[in-house]
Structures are given as structure tokens and as C-alpha cells.
Amino acid sequence: MRVHWMALELGLDYEVVPIGARSGETHTEVFTKLNPKQKIPVLQHGPIVLSESAAIIHYMAETFPLPNDFFVAKDAVGRAKLNEWCYFIMTELDAHSLYLIRRHDSLKDIYGAEPTAVASAEEYFKKQIRAACKRINNGAIYLMENQFSIADILLTSCLDWAVTYEIDLPDLMRSYREKVHKRPRFSDAFAVNFPNGIPKSVLRSA
Ligand SMILES: N[C@@H](CCC(=O)N[C@@H](CS)C(=O)NCC(=O)O)C(=O)O
């Protein structure tokens, strides 16, 4: 979703090669050569092959011309502030919290059920999201000087993910998410990434 959204924001003409997670398609010889971690997404751009959604969209932001409403860091401080958001979202919200819930709840048949860790990850997510609210300007639409950036793609995708897990969001995050969803390329990316709606395997177990 993150990579499609960024590609569409940039107006790129790109080829989609659908590879299903846990379908065996990430384990073929050809795919494993591209990404030995056997994970999607993967971007191929000429000789460049990249995995990790955050690294991919960061590369795209630095490689292709950005539309006028995109945030462009003017100096090291601007770049550091953007990185601060991106690392926070990818570690505290994505990897430590949501992905733990994914592995040990939605995918518990593969990774094992860990209800205590899942409950603790949900609380941790809520704590960190409340902390993040303190860094969002009330009234601003976007995270970086109120201009759209890769940090908004990462945060919105984590908020969407939390909502599919029925995690309550603070009002500020709810309205932030609603405003970012109004970007036309968001719905376009959703349609490309989830042509049949959100798959059941993404949902939390009952
Ligand atoms: N940190 C990685 C996570 C990628 C990831 O977990 N991808 C999942 C699908 S969303 C996957 O490839 N799962 C396949 C598997 O675990 O076999 C990123 O942000 O790109």
C-alpha cells in the first residue's frame, strides 16, 4: 500500500508484479534472489533492487521529481525531523506494536498465540500514539510543516492498520487520518493494493 501510494502520488508509470505473502511466491528462487528476506514489497528500478517499504518510498522521494505540495527538507535539521517521524513510526508503531499483534494474533497459527504480549503491544501502541499527538499541530493536515511527506504515508498506513485491529485512536489521530484519506491518490492506491477489499488474513482473530 505504501509503495503504490507513493508511486501514484509521484505519477510514476510502473509495472505491478503481484506476489502474495505466505503463498509460496516469496519463496521461489527468482524472488529469493531479489529479496533473500522473502518479503514484499520489493522495488526494481533499473539496476536498483530495494526492499523495506520505508526505504523504498524514501528512495522514490529522493529520486523522482516531487509534486509541489510535497515536503522538501531544506537542511540537516529538516531531514532529521523527517527521519525522526519515520523511524518512530517504523519502530515504535509498526515493528514493536502492530507487527507483533499481526504475528501473534492474526497469524498465530504460524507464529504462535501470545495473548499477553498482544495485549501489551496494543497498550504500547496507544501510549505511543498519544505521545505522537503532542507533536501534531492542531489544525495542521500533515506532519512536516504541514506539507505532505513519506512520514504521512507511513503514519496513515499504521493508523489504518490499527483501525482494522479495532484499536481506538485519539480524536486528533482520527481527524488526521480522515484528512489524509482525502488525497485522491490514497483511494487509487487502495484500489490497486486491495482490489477485493482488505483480506481476511489481515484482520485480528475473533
Ligand atoms: N519491514 C518490512 C515488512 C514487510 C512485510 O512484513 N511484508 C509481509 C507482507 S505485508 C510479507 O512479505 N510477508 C510474507 C511472509 O512473511 O512470508 C517492510 O516494511 O517492508
mmCIF file of all heavy atoms in Angstrom, residues 137-167:
data_model
loop_
_atom_site.group_PDB
_atom_site.id
_atom_site.type_symbol
_atom_site.label_atom_id
_atom_site.label_comp_id
_atom_site.label_asym_id
_atom_site.label_seq_id
_atom_site.Cartn_x
_atom_site.Cartn_y
_atom_site.Cartn_z
ATOM 1 N N ASN A 137 0.472 19.485 15.137
ATOM 2 C CA ASN A 137 -0.181 20.785 15.317
ATOM 3 C C ASN A 137 -1.664 20.633 15.112
ATOM 4 O O ASN A 137 -2.088 20.128 14.075
ATOM 5 C CB ASN A 137 0.308 21.769 14.239
ATOM 6 C CG ASN A 137 1.536 22.474 14.689
ATOM 7 O OD1 ASN A 137 1.824 22.497 15.880
ATOM 8 N ND2 ASN A 137 2.246 23.040 13.723
ATOM 9 N N ASN A 138 -2.435 21.078 16.083
ATOM 10 C CA ASN A 138 -3.881 21.056 15.909
ATOM 11 C C ASN A 138 -4.228 21.943 14.719
ATOM 12 O O ASN A 138 -3.720 23.038 14.612
ATOM 13 C CB ASN A 138 -4.523 21.634 17.174
ATOM 14 C CG ASN A 138 -5.583 20.710 17.691
ATOM 15 O OD1 ASN A 138 -6.169 19.969 16.903
ATOM 16 N ND2 ASN A 138 -5.824 20.753 18.978
ATOM 17 N N GLY A 139 -5.006 21.441 13.800
ATOM 18 C CA GLY A 139 -5.363 22.297 12.661
ATOM 19 C C GLY A 139 -4.502 22.021 11.445
ATOM 20 O O GLY A 139 -4.908 22.275 10.328
ATOM 21 N N ALA A 140 -3.288 21.471 11.661
ATOM 22 C CA ALA A 140 -2.438 21.158 10.506
ATOM 23 C C ALA A 140 -2.918 19.845 9.895
ATOM 24 O O ALA A 140 -3.456 18.997 10.595
ATOM 25 C CB ALA A 140 -0.992 20.999 10.944
ATOM 26 N N ILE A 141 -2.742 19.697 8.583
ATOM 27 C CA ILE A 141 -3.142 18.432 7.980
ATOM 28 C C ILE A 141 -1.986 17.429 8.050
ATOM 29 O O ILE A 141 -2.180 16.270 8.357
ATOM 30 C CB ILE A 141 -3.595 18.620 6.518
ATOM 31 C CG1 ILE A 141 -4.765 19.598 6.466
ATOM 32 C CG2 ILE A 141 -4.003 17.280 5.886
ATOM 33 C CD1 ILE A 141 -5.339 19.805 5.083
ATOM 34 N N TYR A 142 -0.772 17.899 7.743
ATOM 35 C CA TYR A 142 0.345 16.963 7.594
ATOM 36 C C TYR A 142 1.397 17.129 8.692
ATOM 37 O O TYR A 142 1.406 18.145 9.402
ATOM 38 C CB TYR A 142 0.983 17.149 6.212
ATOM 39 C CG TYR A 142 -0.029 16.951 5.097
ATOM 40 C CD1 TYR A 142 -0.321 17.973 4.192
ATOM 41 C CD2 TYR A 142 -0.708 15.744 4.969
ATOM 42 C CE1 TYR A 142 -1.256 17.792 3.182
ATOM 43 C CE2 TYR A 142 -1.648 15.555 3.964
ATOM 44 C CZ TYR A 142 -1.918 16.578 3.072
ATOM 45 O OH TYR A 142 -2.849 16.381 2.085
ATOM 46 N N LEU A 143 2.299 16.147 8.768
ATOM 47 C CA LEU A 143 3.267 16.111 9.869
ATOM 48 C C LEU A 143 4.411 17.112 9.706
ATOM 49 O O LEU A 143 4.838 17.723 10.681
ATOM 50 C CB LEU A 143 3.864 14.700 9.993
ATOM 51 C CG LEU A 143 2.858 13.578 10.286
ATOM 52 C CD1 LEU A 143 3.563 12.224 10.305
ATOM 53 C CD2 LEU A 143 2.151 13.827 11.609
ATOM 54 N N MET A 144 4.912 17.252 8.482
ATOM 55 C CA MET A 144 6.116 18.057 8.275
ATOM 56 C C MET A 144 5.758 19.454 7.755
ATOM 57 O O MET A 144 5.478 19.633 6.573
ATOM 58 C CB MET A 144 7.040 17.384 7.251
ATOM 59 C CG MET A 144 7.630 16.070 7.712
ATOM 60 S SD MET A 144 8.597 16.192 9.236
ATOM 61 C CE MET A 144 9.808 17.433 8.829
ATOM 62 N N GLU A 145 5.781 20.417 8.679
ATOM 63 C CA GLU A 145 5.500 21.819 8.306
ATOM 64 C C GLU A 145 4.244 21.895 7.449
ATOM 65 O O GLU A 145 4.135 22.693 6.522
ATOM 66 C CB GLU A 145 6.701 22.432 7.578
ATOM 67 C CG GLU A 145 7.925 22.451 8.466
ATOM 68 C CD GLU A 145 9.205 22.825 7.724
ATOM 69 O OE1 GLU A 145 9.120 23.355 6.614
ATOM 70 O OE2 GLU A 145 10.279 22.571 8.294
ATOM 71 N N ASN A 146 3.312 21.048 7.766
ATOM 72 C CA ASN A 146 2.030 20.977 7.064
ATOM 73 C C ASN A 146 2.158 20.750 5.551
ATOM 74 O O ASN A 146 1.335 21.214 4.764
ATOM 75 C CB ASN A 146 1.165 22.200 7.356
ATOM 76 C CG ASN A 146 -0.304 21.832 7.254
ATOM 77 O OD1 ASN A 146 -0.655 20.646 7.230
ATOM 78 N ND2 ASN A 146 -1.166 22.820 7.140
ATOM 79 N N GLN A 147 3.222 20.040 5.180
ATOM 80 C CA GLN A 147 3.338 19.614 3.772
ATOM 81 C C GLN A 147 3.408 18.095 3.729
ATOM 82 O O GLN A 147 4.018 17.465 4.616
ATOM 83 C CB GLN A 147 4.589 20.211 3.151
ATOM 84 C CG GLN A 147 4.388 21.680 2.823
ATOM 85 C CD GLN A 147 5.586 22.209 2.098
ATOM 86 O OE1 GLN A 147 6.690 22.155 2.621
ATOM 87 N NE2 GLN A 147 5.364 22.695 0.893
ATOM 88 N N PHE A 148 2.818 17.505 2.707
ATOM 89 C CA PHE A 148 2.739 16.047 2.614
ATOM 90 C C PHE A 148 4.141 15.442 2.472
ATOM 91 O O PHE A 148 4.993 15.997 1.771
ATOM 92 C CB PHE A 148 1.884 15.669 1.398
ATOM 93 C CG PHE A 148 1.586 14.208 1.313
ATOM 94 C CD1 PHE A 148 0.715 13.617 2.218
ATOM 95 C CD2 PHE A 148 2.161 13.418 0.328
ATOM 96 C CE1 PHE A 148 0.429 12.251 2.145
ATOM 97 C CE2 PHE A 148 1.887 12.061 0.244
ATOM 98 C CZ PHE A 148 1.013 11.480 1.162
ATOM 99 N N SER A 149 4.363 14.317 3.145
ATOM 100 C CA SER A 149 5.683 13.661 3.055
ATOM 101 C C SER A 149 5.522 12.156 3.231
ATOM 102 O O SER A 149 4.434 11.667 3.558
ATOM 103 C CB SER A 149 6.625 14.190 4.150
ATOM 104 O OG SER A 149 6.213 13.707 5.412
ATOM 105 N N ILE A 150 6.644 11.447 3.090
ATOM 106 C CA ILE A 150 6.611 9.998 3.281
ATOM 107 C C ILE A 150 6.187 9.650 4.707
ATOM 108 O O ILE A 150 5.629 8.587 4.950
ATOM 109 C CB ILE A 150 7.958 9.320 2.923
ATOM 110 C CG1 ILE A 150 9.102 9.899 3.754
ATOM 111 C CG2 ILE A 150 8.228 9.435 1.441
ATOM 112 C CD1 ILE A 150 10.406 9.098 3.595
ATOM 113 N N ALA A 151 6.432 10.551 5.657
ATOM 114 C CA ALA A 151 6.016 10.281 7.050
ATOM 115 C C ALA A 151 4.492 10.169 7.125
ATOM 116 O O ALA A 151 3.962 9.366 7.906
ATOM 117 C CB ALA A 151 6.521 11.377 7.978
ATOM 118 N N ASP A 152 3.770 10.947 6.322
ATOM 119 C CA ASP A 152 2.297 10.852 6.325
ATOM 120 C C ASP A 152 1.843 9.515 5.743
ATOM 121 O O ASP A 152 0.856 8.943 6.202
ATOM 122 C CB ASP A 152 1.695 12.012 5.526
ATOM 123 C CG ASP A 152 1.970 13.349 6.194
ATOM 124 O OD1 ASP A 152 1.490 13.551 7.320
ATOM 125 O OD2 ASP A 152 2.685 14.169 5.599
ATOM 126 N N ILE A 153 2.557 9.031 4.728
ATOM 127 C CA ILE A 153 2.197 7.718 4.165
ATOM 128 C C ILE A 153 2.406 6.638 5.233
ATOM 129 O O ILE A 153 1.547 5.779 5.455
ATOM 130 C CB ILE A 153 3.036 7.422 2.901
ATOM 131 C CG1 ILE A 153 2.618 8.375 1.774
ATOM 132 C CG2 ILE A 153 2.913 5.951 2.485
ATOM 133 C CD1 ILE A 153 3.270 8.121 0.432
ATOM 134 N N LEU A 154 3.537 6.714 5.921
ATOM 135 C CA LEU A 154 3.833 5.685 6.930
ATOM 136 C C LEU A 154 2.851 5.760 8.094
ATOM 137 O O LEU A 154 2.318 4.742 8.539
ATOM 138 C CB LEU A 154 5.275 5.849 7.438
ATOM 139 C CG LEU A 154 6.376 5.645 6.386
ATOM 140 C CD1 LEU A 154 7.749 5.915 6.996
ATOM 141 C CD2 LEU A 154 6.332 4.235 5.803
ATOM 142 N N LEU A 155 2.588 6.978 8.579
ATOM 143 C CA LEU A 155 1.689 7.081 9.739
ATOM 144 C C LEU A 155 0.264 6.665 9.366
ATOM 145 O O LEU A 155 -0.378 5.904 10.093
ATOM 146 C CB LEU A 155 1.697 8.505 10.316
ATOM 147 C CG LEU A 155 0.796 8.685 11.554
ATOM 148 C CD1 LEU A 155 1.196 7.721 12.687
ATOM 149 C CD2 LEU A 155 0.829 10.117 12.072
ATOM 150 N N THR A 156 -0.216 7.141 8.221
ATOM 151 C CA THR A 156 -1.591 6.795 7.834
ATOM 152 C C THR A 156 -1.729 5.283 7.676
ATOM 153 O O THR A 156 -2.729 4.697 8.101
ATOM 154 C CB THR A 156 -1.977 7.528 6.528
ATOM 155 O OG1 THR A 156 -1.752 8.917 6.741
ATOM 156 C CG2 THR A 156 -3.426 7.300 6.153
ATOM 157 N N SER A 157 -0.714 4.634 7.098
ATOM 158 C CA SER A 157 -0.828 3.181 6.923
ATOM 159 C C SER A 157 -0.867 2.487 8.284
ATOM 160 O O SER A 157 -1.588 1.501 8.461
ATOM 161 C CB SER A 157 0.285 2.630 6.024
ATOM 162 O OG SER A 157 1.526 2.807 6.659
ATOM 163 N N CYS A 158 -0.129 2.999 9.260
ATOM 164 C CA CYS A 158 -0.185 2.389 10.608
ATOM 165 C C CYS A 158 -1.533 2.667 11.273
ATOM 166 O O CYS A 158 -2.079 1.798 11.967
ATOM 167 C CB CYS A 158 0.951 2.914 11.484
ATOM 168 S SG CYS A 158 2.534 2.163 11.060
ATOM 169 N N LEU A 159 -2.085 3.857 11.068
ATOM 170 C CA LEU A 159 -3.396 4.153 11.667
ATOM 171 C C LEU A 159 -4.469 3.264 11.037
ATOM 172 O O LEU A 159 -5.348 2.738 11.729
ATOM 173 C CB LEU A 159 -3.752 5.640 11.488
ATOM 174 C CG LEU A 159 -2.815 6.635 12.200
ATOM 175 C CD1 LEU A 159 -3.250 8.072 11.896
ATOM 176 C CD2 LEU A 159 -2.784 6.407 13.702
ATOM 177 N N ASP A 160 -4.373 3.079 9.724
ATOM 178 C CA ASP A 160 -5.345 2.197 9.043
ATOM 179 C C ASP A 160 -5.250 0.777 9.591
ATOM 180 O O ASP A 160 -6.257 0.111 9.823
ATOM 181 C CB ASP A 160 -5.070 2.168 7.532
ATOM 182 C CG ASP A 160 -5.394 3.492 6.867
ATOM 183 O OD1 ASP A 160 -6.071 4.316 7.498
ATOM 184 O OD2 ASP A 160 -4.957 3.697 5.720
ATOM 185 N N TRP A 161 -4.020 0.358 9.769
ATOM 186 C CA TRP A 161 -3.748 -0.983 10.281
ATOM 187 C C TRP A 161 -4.347 -1.116 11.692
ATOM 188 O O TRP A 161 -5.026 -2.101 12.019
ATOM 189 C CB TRP A 161 -2.235 -1.139 10.307
ATOM 190 C CG TRP A 161 -1.658 -2.480 10.496
ATOM 191 C CD1 TRP A 161 -2.321 -3.656 10.693
ATOM 192 C CD2 TRP A 161 -0.263 -2.779 10.505
ATOM 193 N NE1 TRP A 161 -1.385 -4.672 10.835
ATOM 194 C CE2 TRP A 161 -0.132 -4.166 10.722
ATOM 195 C CE3 TRP A 161 0.899 -2.011 10.345
ATOM 196 C CZ2 TRP A 161 1.113 -4.796 10.792
ATOM 197 C CZ3 TRP A 161 2.135 -2.635 10.412
ATOM 198 C CH2 TRP A 161 2.242 -4.016 10.626
ATOM 199 N N ALA A 162 -4.136 -0.094 12.529
ATOM 200 C CA ALA A 162 -4.683 -0.110 13.898
ATOM 201 C C ALA A 162 -6.209 -0.171 13.855
ATOM 202 O O ALA A 162 -6.835 -0.885 14.638
ATOM 203 C CB ALA A 162 -4.221 1.133 14.660
ATOM 204 N N VAL A 163 -6.804 0.561 12.924
ATOM 205 C CA VAL A 163 -8.278 0.564 12.831
ATOM 206 C C VAL A 163 -8.784 -0.829 12.430
ATOM 207 O O VAL A 163 -9.777 -1.302 12.974
ATOM 208 C CB VAL A 163 -8.758 1.677 11.871
ATOM 209 C CG1 VAL A 163 -10.221 1.517 11.518
ATOM 210 C CG2 VAL A 163 -8.515 3.044 12.501
ATOM 211 N N THR A 164 -8.081 -1.502 11.533
ATOM 212 C CA THR A 164 -8.527 -2.868 11.190
ATOM 213 C C THR A 164 -8.386 -3.800 12.405
ATOM 214 O O THR A 164 -9.080 -4.809 12.491
ATOM 215 C CB THR A 164 -7.779 -3.506 9.988
ATOM 216 O OG1 THR A 164 -6.410 -3.609 10.327
ATOM 217 C CG2 THR A 164 -7.922 -2.735 8.722
ATOM 218 N N TYR A 165 -7.531 -3.447 13.338
ATOM 219 C CA TYR A 165 -7.400 -4.227 14.588
ATOM 220 C C TYR A 165 -8.350 -3.710 15.676
ATOM 221 O O TYR A 165 -8.221 -4.096 16.844
ATOM 222 C CB TYR A 165 -5.965 -4.166 15.107
ATOM 223 C CG TYR A 165 -4.967 -5.007 14.338
ATOM 224 C CD1 TYR A 165 -3.603 -4.899 14.580
ATOM 225 C CD2 TYR A 165 -5.384 -5.932 13.379
ATOM 226 C CE1 TYR A 165 -2.686 -5.661 13.889
ATOM 227 C CE2 TYR A 165 -4.466 -6.690 12.682
ATOM 228 C CZ TYR A 165 -3.118 -6.557 12.934
ATOM 229 O OH TYR A 165 -2.194 -7.313 12.254
ATOM 230 N N GLU A 166 -9.234 -2.794 15.278
ATOM 231 C CA GLU A 166 -10.228 -2.223 16.199
ATOM 232 C C GLU A 166 -9.587 -1.554 17.413
ATOM 233 O O GLU A 166 -10.096 -1.620 18.535
ATOM 234 C CB GLU A 166 -11.238 -3.293 16.627
ATOM 235 C CG GLU A 166 -12.037 -3.783 15.419
ATOM 236 C CD GLU A 166 -12.932 -4.973 15.726
ATOM 237 O OE1 GLU A 166 -13.214 -5.230 16.898
ATOM 238 O OE2 GLU A 166 -13.343 -5.629 14.755
ATOM 239 N N ILE A 167 -8.436 -0.904 17.176
ATOM 240 C CA ILE A 167 -7.790 -0.143 18.249
ATOM 241 C C ILE A 167 -8.327 1.285 18.197
ATOM 242 O O ILE A 167 -8.313 1.908 17.123
ATOM 243 C CB ILE A 167 -6.249 -0.136 18.075
ATOM 244 C CG1 ILE A 167 -5.704 -1.564 18.164
ATOM 245 C CG2 ILE A 167 -5.579 0.786 19.083
ATOM 246 C CD1 ILE A 167 -4.206 -1.697 17.908
#
